[in-house]
Amino acid sequence: MNSPIRKVVVTQKFFDEEAIALLESKGCEVDIATLPEGKGEADLDVDDICQLLAGAGGWIVGHARVTREVLEALPDLAIISRRGVGYEKVDTVAAEALGKVVTIAAGGNNDSVADQVIGMMISLGRRYREAQIAMNAGKWNILVGTELFRKTVGIIGFGRIGRSLAQRLQGFDAEILVCTPRLASADIDSFGLKQVDFETLLERSDYISVHAPLTPETRHMIDADALARMKPSAAIINTARGGLVDDRALLAALQAGRILGAGLDVFESEADPTMMPVTEALIDLPNVIAAPHSGASTHEALQRTNMIAAQCVVDVLDGKVPSMGQCVADGRK
């Protein structure tokens, strides 16, 4: 069996010198791709990708769609290393069938996303965006807000980010409710938290933060009915994936004043451009704190995920099991 080709193409922005140095120290040729003019990584089509990755054995990728067609057209490609924690944009079944490895940079962005959630909660409760809009209009009247201290916070999903968030919330003396199908009650009890059903979490929480993967089962888990069960004084935070929240239903609830507000780092329009008018209407609301899917984009988190992605590439090209991150598909025989 021939040794894997050690050319590594990086199509993500902000890939730092330390990660490049790691790859080069292990005999890899690193190509920081120049994307076609006017295109971001998510806009790359099959032809674009094939031109950029010609002769590559490793690919460090973020938002591009890695389809079976792409994988079949790149026979030299041994590893697709996502600098992120989701893998729904990668056809992992095709990767397995075609003998390729897919990894994610699990553990690299927990802290940055958890920090973002805390910031959104405080900003919504204290009405910072509303106050600044009013001040810009010359109205300096005080808007009375609410504290995060000793509030009830519901966490949907209790993976790495959910746990990092729970650790931070304990500093606010918050009551933390957890709803997750993936962990036994004992796992959550060991954190000193309460596991509840979905309906209880919706009805009791002052803040709800969604940290579930996007699957057919979780799509629109926060729909019009779920929003109607929330307290009028409660806020919803989604930093996980667009599609977990029904954005149309959320917009209607916010416009009607049925909930306090929303913190959104992800939107349905990311995968469905026809939803952009809904996104634009959401981010225009004074009680919405919005970001452009940037929860993992701190200097520190990018350095961590770059190194994890790079180490995964090195390990696979060396014929090893990845020592960092998480391997989500391994088609090697």
Side-chain angles (χ1 to χ4, degrees):
M1 182 175 178
N2 294 330
S3 298
I5 294 171
R6 300 188 79 85
K7 176 183 175 181
V8 179
V9 175
V10 181
T11 53
Q12 276 275 268
K13 295 180 179 179
F14 312 117
F15 198 74
D16 61 89
E17 292 298 326
E18 187 176 356
I20 293 172
L22 170 65
L23 289 166
E24 291 179 339
S25 72
K26 301 299 182 178
C28 295
E29 172 195 345
V30 182
D31 178 7
I32 307 298
T34 300
L35 304 189
E37 187 173 355
K39 287 190 175 184
E41 194 189 35
D43 304 316
L44 297 175
D45 59 29
V46 175
D47 290 339
D48 295 327
I49 293 170
C50 290
Q51 288 183 12
L52 292 171
L53 270 78
W59 181 13
I60 295 177
V61 60
H63 303 294
R65 295 198 173 276
V66 187
T67 63
R68 175 177 286 273
E69 185 180 5
V70 165
L71 295 172
E72 288 177 342
L74 296 168
D76 296 326
L77 190 64
I79 173 170
I80 301 92
S81 181
R82 283 213 68 245
R83 192 190 70 182
V85 296
Y87 52 91
E88 67 275 2
K89 293 185 178 181
V90 182
D91 188 337
T92 55
V93 173
E96 291 262 17
L98 295 168
K100 303 179 189 302
V101 179
V102 180
T103 60
I104 57 176
N109 63 8
N110 308 345
D111 294 325
S112 59
V113 177
D115 282 358
Q116 184 192 50
V117 174
I118 293 291
M120 286 180 164
M121 288 179 177
I122 293 173
S123 296
L124 288 166
R126 297 301 300 271
R127 303 172 68 182
Y128 288 154
R129 175 167 157 77
E130 293 176 75
Q132 187 162 351
I133 290 172
M135 291 170 70
N136 287 337
K139 300 175 182 178
W140 285 57
N141 52 303
I142 294 173
L143 301 179
V144 179
T146 60
E147 298 174 355
L148 180 55
F149 182 62
R150 291 187 174 173
K151 291 298 186 292
T152 299
V153 179
I155 301 176
I156 299 174
F158 203 61
R160 296 176 183 87
I161 295 172
R163 294 180 187 211
S164 294
L165 175 60
Q167 290 172 341
R168 285 157 172 75
L169 286 167
Q170 289 172 352
F172 290 89
D173 200 15
E175 179 185 19
I176 304 170
L177 308 179
V178 178
C179 175
T180 177
R182 293 193 171 192
L183 291 175
S185 179
D187 295 322
I188 295 171
D189 290 345
S190 68
F191 279 77
L193 309 180
K194 297 178 182 178
Q195 185 167 12
V196 298
D197 58 39
F198 186 56
E199 289 72 20
T200 299
L201 183 144
L202 292 171
E203 292 166 2
R204 289 187 52 193
S205 299
D206 298 300
Y207 296 90
I208 296 172
S209 191
V210 184
H211 298 284
L214 179 62
T215 67
E217 293 74 29
T218 61
R219 182 172 180 78
H220 286 183
M221 65 187 307
I222 304 297
D223 57 10
D225 180 65
L227 292 163
R229 289 175 176 268
M230 291 172 58
K231 298 178 182 180
S233 59
I236 183 80
I237 314 290
N238 185 13
T239 58
R241 285 291 183 270
L244 293 169
V245 175
D246 181 340
D247 283 355
R248 282 196 178 91
L250 175 61
L251 177 61
L254 290 167
Q255 289 175 330
R258 289 197 293 271
I259 61 173
L260 173 72
L264 303 171
D265 190 39
V266 290
F267 303 88
E268 289 193 81
S269 58
E270 293 176 74
D272 180 3
T274 66
M275 288 290 292
M276 185 54 71
V278 176
T279 296
E280 291 171 345
L282 281 167
I283 65 178
D284 195 47
L285 293 174
N287 57 341
V288 170
I289 302 295
H293 205 152
S294 60
S297 296
T298 63
H299 292 294
E300 297 86 351
L302 289 171
Q303 288 170 353
R304 290 191 295 267
T305 51
N306 284 340
M307 288 299 288
I308 292 170
Q311 187 63 57
C312 285
V313 168
V314 169
D315 287 340
V316 170
L317 295 184
D318 285 345
K320 302 175 182 177
V321 173
S323 58
M324 300 177 72
Q326 181 179 340
C327 186
V328 295
D330 192 343
R332 293 174 293 186
K333 305 301 182 186

